[in-house]
Amino acid sequence: MDEERALYIVRAGEAGAIERVLRDYSDKHRATFKFETTDEEKRKKLCEGIFKVLVKDVPTTCQVSCLEVLRILSRDKKILVPVTTKENMQILLRLAKLNESDDSLEKVSEFPVIVESLKCLCNIVFNSQMAQQLSLELNLAAKLCNLLKKCKDRKFINDIKCFDLRLLFLLSLLHTDIRSQLRYELQGLPLLTQILESAFSIKWTDEYESAIDHNGPPLSPQETDCAIEALKALFNVTVDSWKVHKESDSHQFRVMAAVLRHCLLIVGPTEDKTEELHSNAVNLLSNVPVSCLDVLICPLTHEETAQEATTLDELPSEKTAAKETVLKNNTMVYNGMNMEAIHVLLNFMEKRIDKGSSYREGLTPVLSLLTECSRAHRNIRKFLKDQVLPPLRDVTNRPEVGSTVRNKLVRLMTHVDLGVKQIAAEFLFVLCKERVDSLLKYTGYGNAAGLLAARGLLAGGRGDNWYSEDEDTDTEEYKNAKPNINLITGHLEEPMPNPIDEMTEEQKEYEAMKLVNMLDKLSRRADVKDLHQDGG
């Protein structure tokens, strides 16, 4: 009934009536995602009628109402087949200001039309293979990049940027050819990186260092959404970029990694949005060549160095020896390097472990990232070793028992998911400089057996990668307990009582004679067996 009434007004009514009936339809079906099959034909005709209205000279408010209903109807894949034509796609491109002839975005009154047109294109491209092919033919990716350049530094049009980026993400997700076009022809890497810089309001203090205001306000919801969409689009653009081929590539990836470091050190409007933002940053960092991840840490400034010295003087001597401290502004420092971003990644990893579900999707990216960072960058590995595998003192509990990060990772080494347990074991192995004896000290042989068997290291030794030769130092507590540590379980076991100590002299004599008789029987059986063999 709703479709019939709306279709009648759209075909015969004037702009005001069309606007009113479509606004009513939109309000009623705003949350509708499943449609009745019986009204399928009516919805197709309504879509066709709306496109006919959109080519007319109607008020902006009427255009917005038409596009809102079209966005709702485009959630149904079945009705898109007849309405997804080149002409209809071009209508939406024109309304979204994606034609090259549109030089600027000066009319604020047109912004709602642009946003709704982009939303419609997102639904149609996602749900229609024909629209995906037409996107290639119409060179939609290039048009979207041009629109981004127009609104790159203008914060009051965040909604336009957000849905432009979402559409760019969808296109690069659905077409590998568009990924290549974005990367090389359209210079998508620097363009999207600049979008992130704008969203985060980054102020550079050095080539790859930005100013961080720890007391600043969180990102707004609009800025956060824009950043998340840009991160997702960048992930697709860089998904095959594990190796740097040119110096210019290296510079671009370092700039992007520096922006992502800034991203990790800021927060969104809510805790959930912050986690989503950091999750997408982790995914993108996984695409950055590991040689460019050195910008995640940076030397302290002169002011921070002076502050660190003051703080170190206030610490106990045993803490100073560990070369790790927390400055008064909560900056994590290790060996003269700012480790804030790595500490955020470590906390992010622990939160994902604590969730207890979706380990493959949620946990393995950050574990893999930390593993590769540790393998390639000595300071990162040493800091993570200090945080995850501090010198052992209490070895009365099994390595997998407890609430420390080490305990949680050791538990993952026997997880049912092969990928999860492999990457957890690999991370700990790298922190131990791929030395079997060091790994067994922290995990026990039983937990590490799977990794060692896969590496052919059950008999001991070390992995193939080279690490510095600095030695681990054992605590006095560990040295004293070491002779009684069970190598299989990795924890201290009390010596088993000697059963003979509690026997009387008669019982000891009885057990001794019993053993003599058993040995005598075994000896006689062996002699008889030898005689039979000689006779044969």
Side-chain angles (χ1 to χ4, degrees):
M1 183 64 70
D2 291 333
E3 284 81 4
E4 285 184 5
R5 177 170 173 267
L7 181 59
Y8 175 78
I9 299 296
V10 165
R11 283 177 171 174
E14 48 85 30
I18 293 173
E19 180 183 342
R20 286 191 296 273
V21 73
L22 291 182
R23 191 188 302 122
D24 291 342
Y25 185 94
S26 175
D27 292 340
K28 186 173 182 179
H29 295 280
R30 194 175 302 279
T32 301
F33 289 88
K34 291 184 179 180
F35 300 88
E36 296 292 334
T37 55
T38 52
D39 296 327
E40 191 175 302
E41 284 301 318
K42 296 174 185 176
R43 291 196 299 277
K44 289 178 183 177
K45 291 177 180 177
L46 181 56
C47 279
E48 292 171 350
I50 287 173
F51 274 112
K52 289 177 181 177
V53 173
L54 289 173
V55 297
K56 299 176 182 177
D57 185 18
V58 294
T60 299
T61 53
C62 182
Q63 289 179 325
V64 172
S65 296
C66 287
L67 290 166
E68 285 177 345
V69 173
L70 185 61
R71 170 171 53 83
I72 292 169
L73 295 175
S74 62
R75 296 168 183 167
D76 184 3
K77 294 181 180 181
K78 295 179 182 177
I79 70 163
L80 291 177
V81 176
V83 299
T84 306
T85 63
K86 186 174 182 179
E87 292 73 22
N88 288 343
M89 288 285 285
Q90 287 174 324
I91 291 172
L92 291 176
L93 296 185
R94 175 179 57 81
L95 293 171
K97 298 295 181 183
L98 289 171
N99 290 334
E100 289 80 355
S101 57
D102 296 315
D103 295 328
S104 62
L105 299 171
E106 297 299 334
K107 295 183 181 179
V108 178
S109 60
E110 294 178 343
F111 289 176
V113 176
I114 300 173
V115 171
E116 284 300 326
S117 300
L118 289 170
K119 289 180 181 179
C120 289
L121 284 168
C122 286
N123 280 1
I124 293 171
V125 168
F126 182 72
N127 287 320
S128 169
Q129 289 187 346
M130 176 61 71
Q132 293 163 21
Q133 293 301 320
L134 287 170
S135 298
L136 290 173
E137 184 179 337
L138 295 167
N139 200 14
L140 181 54
K143 298 178 188 296
L144 289 168
C145 287
N146 286 332
L147 182 60
L148 275 179
K149 291 173 184 176
K150 296 173 190 175
C151 58
K152 178 171 60 176
D153 298 318
R154 302 174 64 178
K155 294 188 177 183
F156 58 90
I157 49 177
N158 272 327
D159 283 344
I160 296 177
K161 282 195 286 189
C162 185
F163 289 102
D164 184 307
L165 290 164
R166 183 171 298 178
L167 186 50
L168 207 54
F169 162 71
L170 287 173
L171 288 173
S172 57
L173 176 69
L174 297 166
H175 284 289
T176 54
D177 292 344
I178 288 182
R179 293 179 203 168
S180 179
Q181 181 191 17
L182 274 171
R183 174 73 191 280
Y184 300 106
E185 179 186 334
L186 301 174
Q187 296 297 302
L189 183 55
L191 173 62
L192 293 170
T193 302
Q194 288 168 10
I195 293 293
L196 283 176
E197 287 184 49
S198 175
F200 298 148
S201 301
I202 289 180
K203 296 178 181 177
W204 296 105
T205 58
D206 204 344
E207 187 176 20
Y208 303 122
E209 292 180 36
S210 61
I212 304 294
D213 183 3
H214 293 283
N215 298 317
L219 288 179
S220 69
Q222 295 80 11
E223 289 167 340
T224 305
D225 288 339
C226 270
I228 288 171
E229 295 300 334
L231 290 169
K232 288 157 61 177
L234 268 170
F235 178 86
N236 290 342
V237 172
T238 60
V239 73
D240 300 318
S241 305
W242 60 273
K243 185 180 288 187
V244 174
H245 298 286
K246 297 183 297 185
E247 188 62 30
S248 59
D249 289 341
S250 177
H251 171 69
Q252 286 179 2
F253 277 112
R254 276 192 161 83
V255 171
M256 186 175 76
V259 171
L260 294 176
R261 178 183 182 274
H262 188 101
C263 176
L264 292 172
L265 301 180
I266 57 179
V267 295
T270 65
E271 188 175 342
D272 288 343
K273 276 296 181 182
T274 299
E275 183 172 354
E276 185 181 359
L277 182 70
H278 289 177
S279 178
N280 281 285
V282 167
N283 292 340
L284 182 53
L285 280 169
S286 300
N287 288 350
V288 176
V290 70
S291 60
C292 300
L293 292 175
D294 54 345
V295 301
L296 289 179
I297 61 176
C298 56
L300 299 181
T301 63
H302 292 300
E303 293 79 6
E304 289 173 329
T305 303
Q307 191 176 11
E308 181 193 18
T310 303
T311 309
L312 285 172
D313 289 340
E314 297 170 356
L315 289 173
S317 58
E318 62 272 14
K319 189 66 175 178
T320 306
K323 296 184 182 179
E324 186 275 328
T325 184
V326 181
L327 297 185
K328 294 174 183 177
N329 62 356
N330 294 323
T331 300
M332 294 301 298
V333 175
Y334 185 88
N335 206 15
M337 303 295 287
N338 186 321
M339 293 287 178
E340 282 183 289
I342 304 301
H343 193 248
V344 170
L345 290 173
L346 186 61
N347 288 338
F348 180 85
M349 178 200 73
E350 188 173 7
K351 286 181 182 177
R352 287 296 169 95
I353 294 176
D354 292 342
K355 279 191 172 182
S357 61
S358 303
Y359 280 157
R360 182 172 284 273
E361 298 81 12
L363 177 62
T364 53
V366 66
L367 259 179
S368 178
L369 173 63
L370 289 174
T371 301
E372 292 307 312
C373 284
S374 300
R375 184 177 278 124
H377 302 289
R378 179 172 178 265
N379 275 318
I380 295 178
R381 174 180 58 78
K382 289 173 71 66
F383 171 74
L384 288 172
K385 171 76 180 296
D386 186 72
Q387 297 291 309
V388 177
L389 301 175
L392 288 174
R393 298 184 183 278
D394 182 8
V395 288
T396 55
N397 292 322
R398 290 172 179 257
E400 66 271 21
V401 176
S403 58
T404 66
V405 183
R406 168 192 165 225
N407 301 142
K408 295 171 184 179
L409 287 167
V410 172
R411 285 197 288 272
L412 289 179
M413 294 175 75
T414 54
H415 195 271
V416 293
D417 189 306
L418 181 62
V420 172
K421 72 178 183 180
Q422 282 180 338
I423 191 60
E426 185 76 11
F427 177 51
L428 292 176
F429 194 43
V430 169
L431 292 188
C432 294
K433 297 187 287 189
E434 301 191 21
R435 287 172 45 188
V436 173
D437 57 341
S438 181
L439 179 69
L440 296 182
K441 180 172 75 172
Y442 289 102
T443 68
Y445 196 91
N447 292 311
L451 172 77
L452 299 181
R455 290 289 202 98
L457 295 171
L458 285 171
R462 64 188 307 167
D464 299 328
N465 293 287
W466 181 88
Y467 297 89
S468 60
E469 292 300 326
D470 49 300
E471 294 294 330
D472 295 330
T473 55
D474 293 332
T475 62
E476 287 299 321
E477 294 92 333
Y478 179 78
K479 289 178 181 178
N480 294 333
K482 188 174 181 179
N484 296 318
I485 292 177
N486 185 318
L487 295 179
I488 302 299
T489 61
H491 81 300
L492 181 65
E493 290 186 347
E494 294 297 328
M496 295 295 289
N498 189 344
I500 296 179
D501 293 342
E502 299 180 1
M503 290 183 181
T504 63
E505 291 299 323
E506 289 79 5
Q507 287 174 323
K508 291 178 183 178
E509 186 176 345
Y510 173 77
E511 292 295 334
M513 291 304 299
K514 188 177 177 181
L515 181 59
V516 169
N517 291 332
M518 290 173 65
L519 291 172
D520 183 58
K521 285 180 181 180
L522 286 173
S523 178
R524 290 175 184 274
R525 287 178 184 174
D527 291 342
V528 171
K529 186 176 180 180
D530 290 342
L531 286 172
H532 281 302
Q533 288 177 346
D534 293 342

